[in-house]
Amino acid sequence: MKYLILMQVDPSAFDSLTAEEQTAIGTGHQAFIEQITASGEMLSTHALGDPTQTTTIRGTGGKPEVIDGPFAETKEFMGGYYLIDVESKERAIELAQLIPDAGIKGLSLEIRPVMFSGGANM
């Protein structure tokens, strides 16, 4: 079954980390990617730009409205995701706990089942 692990970021939490801690996060993500690629559970991963680079298209009941900036004003934003293919929800949770973000206050991971897939290699 496919699961999406969404990485939620609180920029103030990330900015409060030392340079060494930030580097360790990057190194930890690379190790995680290597591990789940080797196990065959990795489908894809992408890091996303911060909300200042966002364009939102909002339904207005008529013509779509294009707005610079995120849809909602929140302190947390989705920083990226992993798309995985695993045997169970328990395995998805087990893998998510290996992501460095799981142990850092102010960062969180959201695990959601994929209900439909389309496009390249799906």
Side-chain angles (χ1 to χ4, degrees):
M1 179 161 200
K2 293 177 186 168
Y3 285 88
L4 197 62
I5 302 173
L6 303 166
M7 295 175 275
Q8 302 294 339
V9 178
D10 176 344
S12 63
F14 188 79
D15 292 343
S16 71
L17 300 173
T18 66
E20 293 80 22
E21 290 169 324
Q22 291 179 7
T23 298
I25 290 172
T27 303
H29 276 277
Q30 188 57 44
F32 179 72
I33 290 167
E34 290 171 9
Q35 178 182 347
I36 65 173
T37 298
S39 70
E41 295 167 306
M42 165 74 101
L43 295 178
S44 68
T45 186
H46 291 92
L48 304 175
D50 68 71
T52 63
Q53 301 174 14
T54 299
T55 300
T56 300
I57 299 175
R58 232 177 249 192
T60 60
K63 182 179 177 185
E65 179 182 10
V66 179
I67 303 164
D68 287 335
F71 178 71
E73 295 295 324
T74 62
K75 72 176 185 178
E76 288 187 347
F77 65 89
M78 187 171 80
Y81 66 87
Y82 289 99
L83 178 60
I84 59 174
D85 191 359
V86 294
E87 292 295 319
S88 65
K89 179 180 180 179
E90 291 75 24
R91 178 62 176 159
I93 293 168
E94 179 183 332
L95 289 176
Q97 291 174 340
L98 299 176
I99 297 171
D101 305 37
I104 298 172
K105 185 175 182 176
L107 305 182
S108 62
L109 302 165
E110 181 180 338
I111 303 164
R112 297 177 74 180
V114 174
M115 305 308 291
F116 171 81
S117 294
N121 301 321
M122 294 293 147

